[in-house]
């Protein structure tokens, strides 16, 4: 299941949705949150823009790439857009597999690719009301090299 | 016509989210980019002074590719989701 949405999500509901088959032996989930400090400045709010249509295609494509490499019985990727505040949930990736190794690897792979390929952009509002578009991190791009075949 | 979309910081700086360009002005992505840098006085600086990614029909493209009537081309900064 892939969803780009404004509304919040519920971990337990998503977990239960993944726990759907008797062959599943492992579920790994990741949740990304809005952090209060980024690059040394205090953040009060975040707004997330995306490219409707391309975003969904891109997330489907990333999950498909993961399915080629690992056993994935069920998967969920949820990414929120719009206005978010400190500690809000931004992103959820959940992978159900036969074994934990596949679930851990696929979950991390999907997050790493999502961070560098999916067309989302964060704009922070800092304390005092000033706004700033978040710059992409070179380290995120470098992280991808570990998945090279 | 080619539909051109801009996102995030780039769209804010250019002051526009989308525009239509005649295909004869933009037969490939390099030609389109060149056309855009000449579209308004300040656009050249905005478009060339920062990393700018592109997608054609909602798929990321690195090199110059041919465009056809009705294509959608988007320009945007490196992504920062997750």
């Amino acid at each position: 299941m892939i969803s780009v949405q404004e509304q919040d999500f519920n971990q337990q509901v998503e977990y239960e949705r993944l726990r759907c088959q008797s062959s599943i032996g492992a579920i790994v989930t990741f949740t990304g949150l809005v952090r209060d400090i980024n690059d040394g400045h205090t953040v009060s709010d975040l707004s997330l823009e995306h490219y409707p249509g391309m975003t969904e295609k891109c997330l489907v494509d990333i999950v498909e790439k993961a399915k080629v490499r690992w056993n994935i019985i069920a998967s969920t990727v949820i990414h929120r857009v719009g206005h978010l505040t400190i500690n809000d949930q931004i992103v959820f990736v959940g992978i159900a597999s036969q074994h934990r190794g596949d679930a851990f690897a696929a979950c991390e792979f999907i997050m790493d690719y999502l961070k560098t390929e999916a067309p989302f952009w964060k704009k922070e509002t800092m304390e005092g009301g000033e706004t700033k578009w978040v710059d992409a991190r070179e380290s995120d791009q470098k992280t991808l090299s570990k998945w090279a075949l | 016509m080619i539909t051109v979309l801009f996102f995030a910081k780039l769209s804010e700086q250019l002051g526009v989210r989308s525009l239509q360009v005649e295909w004869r002005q933009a037969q490939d992505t390099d030609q389109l980019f060149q056309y855009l840098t000449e579209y308004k006085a300040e656009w050249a600086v905005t478009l060339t002074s920062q990393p700018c990614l592109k997608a054609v029909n909602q798929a990321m493209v690195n090199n110059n590719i041919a465009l056809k009537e009705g294509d959608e081309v988007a320009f945007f900064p490196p992504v920062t989701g997750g």
Side-chain angles (χ1 to χ4, degrees):
Chain A
M1 194 268 278
I2 281 171
S3 176
V4 178
Q5 61 189 47
E6 285 193 21
Q7 68 268 31
D8 200 8
F9 51 84
N10 182 309
Q11 292 260 8
Q12 193 62 33
V13 169
E14 299 310 327
Y15 174 80
E16 293 303 335
R17 212 196 301 272
L18 286 165
R19 203 160 63 110
C20 60
Q21 274 190 38
S22 56
S23 60
I24 291 169
I27 293 177
V28 169
T29 68
F30 170 84
T31 311
L33 308 177
V34 181
R35 195 175 48 235
D36 64 347
I37 295 195
N38 192 32
D39 287 336
H41 55 258
T42 306
V43 177
S44 63
D45 287 277
L46 198 67
S47 81
L48 259 150
E49 184 179 332
H50 77 122
Y51 182 174
M54 180 174 167
T55 316
E56 291 81 355
K57 281 185 199 173
C58 190
L59 295 176
V60 168
D61 185 51
I62 294 168
V63 171
E64 288 306 313
K65 274 188 205 159
K67 281 183 178 166
V68 171
R69 299 180 65 158
W70 297 285
N71 164 262
I72 297 178
I73 297 168
S75 66
T76 299
V77 179
I78 300 172
H79 203 299
R80 293 179 68 196
V81 292
H83 179 255
L84 299 172
T85 188
I86 301 305
N87 234 232
D88 275 355
Q89 304 186 111
I90 304 176
V91 59
F92 176 90
V93 176
I95 304 291
S97 304
Q98 279 177 306
H99 302 285
R100 73 180 186 283
D102 286 55
F104 273 124
C107 189
E108 192 177 9
F109 173 92
I110 288 169
M111 266 316 295
D112 286 351
Y113 271 84
L114 183 154
K115 294 221 51 128
T116 50
E117 290 191 352
F120 293 101
W121 300 275
K122 290 190 186 116
K123 188 183 192 181
E124 296 168 340
T125 303
M126 293 176 267
E127 267 186 340
E130 195 189 336
T131 60
K132 178 185 180 296
W133 287 98
V134 173
D135 289 321
R137 289 172 199 270
E138 222 175 290
S139 57
D140 286 334
Q141 200 65 44
K142 283 182 182 155
T143 304
L144 284 187
S145 61
K146 75 168 176 252
W147 301 113
L149 287 165
Chain B
M1 296 295 259
I2 305 291
T3 300
V4 182
L5 305 174
F6 301 106
F7 289 95
K9 192 186 196 174
L10 203 55
S11 119
E12 237 178 47
Q13 290 173 335
L14 298 173
V16 62
R17 296 189 69 84
S18 74
L19 59 93
Q20 300 283 322
V21 177
E22 281 188 42
W23 175 78
R24 61 182 175 80
Q25 309 269 18
Q27 295 177 26
D28 60 41
T29 51
D30 279 358
Q31 202 183 353
L32 172 61
F33 190 81
Q34 184 63 32
Y35 173 84
L36 294 171
T37 60
E38 294 160 9
Y39 190 77
K40 283 187 187 171
E42 67 276 23
W43 281 30
V45 175
T46 305
L47 287 164
T48 57
S49 63
Q50 57 193 322
C52 179
L53 307 182
K54 63 178 181 285
V56 175
N57 298 327
Q58 305 189 350
M60 208 91 91
V61 168
N62 292 318
N63 301 318
N64 184 33
I65 70 159
L67 296 174
K68 58 184 191 306
E69 184 66 29
D71 277 350
E72 177 178 296
V73 184
F75 295 94
F76 43 80
V79 303
T80 56

